[in-house]
Amino acid sequence: MMRYIKLVNFEINRFSKIYLSLLLITLVSQFAGVIIVTKSLLKDARETISNEKLSEAAYIANYGGIDFTHITNTLLFVGPIALSAVALIFYIFLIWYRDWFGKNTFIYRLLMLPTSRLSIYFSKATAIFLMVLGLIAFQIIILPMENALFHTNVPEALLNEISISTITKASQVLALIIPSTFTQFLISYGIGLMIMSILFTAIMFERSFRIKGIIMGLLYCGIAAVLFLAPVLMEIGNFYFYPNELFGLMLAIGIILTGLSVWLGAWLLKNRVTV
């Protein structure tokens, strides 16, 4: 267990500089977005009030108040979230291939450690998952601060005050990364774990069989996608499921695919990937 924890810590430390940069970019970009977009919204509101000779109450009645959802749909707010997501998807591949193609081909030393190769596999998966959770936790922490800054910059007469939960539900991006219920959290991040395990297995195919492995990995990803989406595709073909049945089928298929991918990826790492 201690070796596994050390491996997880090692993998996180290797990505720490980029990871901290993602957090800093998110912090700066979103707070800058709050200030810049708020000023723009207030300028537009004042111009409308002046041009149409409206009172603030009349403006609110005609156009509605200014709320934080105007911020969450801007590039300055959503951009760093998308950047972080792309970076972590890219790191799913980098976390393996860096060991093979780095200056010292570190994979040779890593695979010869006196520990189970399954620990190496799970340490990389755990490191990525912890970093995902860290980014989500960071967004949850700074969101109320951004909302408070927004409130201080918008006059009370024009402010449409809404709760943090309403903000997350109103934004498609925030609703995706910050599910409103624990069940939705398990579903969203369970699918993420499934996709990561499938990609890990595809990488193991490539590392085991090289050129043939690329084809095998792509085929595996394609078959997994078709199997997972099979109930939805069947519904499109006029084969009706009740909502609970559809959910249950996709849940069962997702669990099976995740388990199969972990087992197959770990087996390939242990028996086919050589130093």
Side-chain angles (χ1 to χ4, degrees):
M1 179 58 72
M2 286 303 299
R3 287 175 179 171
Y4 162 74
I5 294 173
K6 287 180 180 178
L7 284 170
V8 172
N9 183 62
F10 173 74
E11 293 293 350
I12 291 175
N13 286 338
R14 295 174 85 189
F15 192 63
S16 60
K17 291 182 180 179
I18 298 175
Y19 188 69
L20 291 174
S21 297
L22 291 173
L23 295 179
L24 182 60
I25 290 170
T26 301
L27 181 70
V28 173
S29 178
Q30 290 189 355
F31 272 92
V34 171
I35 295 170
I36 294 169
V37 176
T38 300
K39 287 182 177 180
S40 176
L41 290 170
L42 289 174
K43 180 182 177 183
D44 292 342
R46 285 166 182 151
E47 287 180 353
T48 301
I49 290 172
S50 176
N51 293 337
E52 298 184 16
K53 297 182 173 18
L54 299 172
S55 65
E56 291 179 338
Y59 176 85
I60 293 292
N62 292 340
Y63 297 99
I66 300 174
D67 60 60
F68 196 77
T69 59
H70 291 91
I71 308 292
T72 58
N73 295 320
T74 62
L75 181 61
L76 283 171
F77 191 92
V78 176
I81 297 175
L83 176 64
S84 299
V86 170
L88 288 175
I89 291 171
F90 176 73
Y91 194 60
I92 289 176
F93 297 91
L94 182 63
I95 201 171
W96 286 105
Y97 286 112
R98 178 177 55 186
D99 292 338
W100 265 281
F101 300 115
K103 292 182 179 180
N104 301 316
T105 53
F106 184 75
I107 192 66
Y108 297 146
R109 295 164 57 192
L110 194 61
L111 294 179
M112 294 179 71
L113 288 174
T115 186
S116 169
R117 290 190 179 184
L118 190 61
S119 296
I120 298 171
Y121 180 97
F122 279 124
S123 68
K124 292 181 182 292
T126 302
I128 291 174
F129 190 63
L130 288 176
M131 284 186 280
V132 170
L133 293 182
L135 285 169
I136 303 309
F138 184 71
Q139 183 65 74
I140 292 173
I141 291 169
I142 66 173
L143 187 58
M145 300 178 189
E146 293 164 348
N147 192 37
L149 177 63
F150 174 76
H151 285 182
T152 61
N153 284 278
V154 178
E156 189 174 347
L158 297 176
L159 178 64
N160 180 21
E161 189 172 350
I162 57 177
S163 66
I164 296 297
S165 61
T166 303
I167 292 170
T168 56
K169 290 175 183 176
S171 168
Q172 290 184 341
V173 173
L174 289 179
L176 178 64
I177 66 172
I178 309 176
S180 58
T181 66
F182 185 64
T183 301
Q184 289 177 336
F185 171 84
L186 291 178
I187 293 170
S188 296
Y189 289 96
I191 292 173
L193 282 173
M194 179 189 71
I195 293 172
M196 181 175 67
S197 66
I198 290 170
L199 292 176
F200 270 21
T201 301
I203 292 168
M204 290 302 101
F205 271 122
E206 189 279 327
R207 288 291 84 197
S208 299
F209 304 103
R210 299 304 191 268
I211 300 299
K212 292 181 181 178
I214 295 175
I215 299 172
M216 294 169 70
L218 291 173
L219 284 174
Y220 183 78
C221 290
I223 292 170
V226 170
L227 287 174
F228 182 67
L229 297 174
V232 177
L233 297 174
M234 291 172 68
E235 278 215 323
I236 294 174
N238 296 322
F239 193 96
Y240 180 77
F241 291 107
Y242 289 106
N244 288 342
E245 291 175 336
L246 182 63
F247 173 76
L249 278 172
M250 296 188 73
L251 177 63
I253 294 170
I255 292 172
I256 292 170
L257 284 174
T258 302
L260 176 63
S261 297
V262 170
W263 174 81
L264 184 55
W267 185 86
L268 288 168
L269 181 62
K270 179 180 179 182
N271 298 288
R272 299 296 305 186
V273 176
T274 62
V275 297

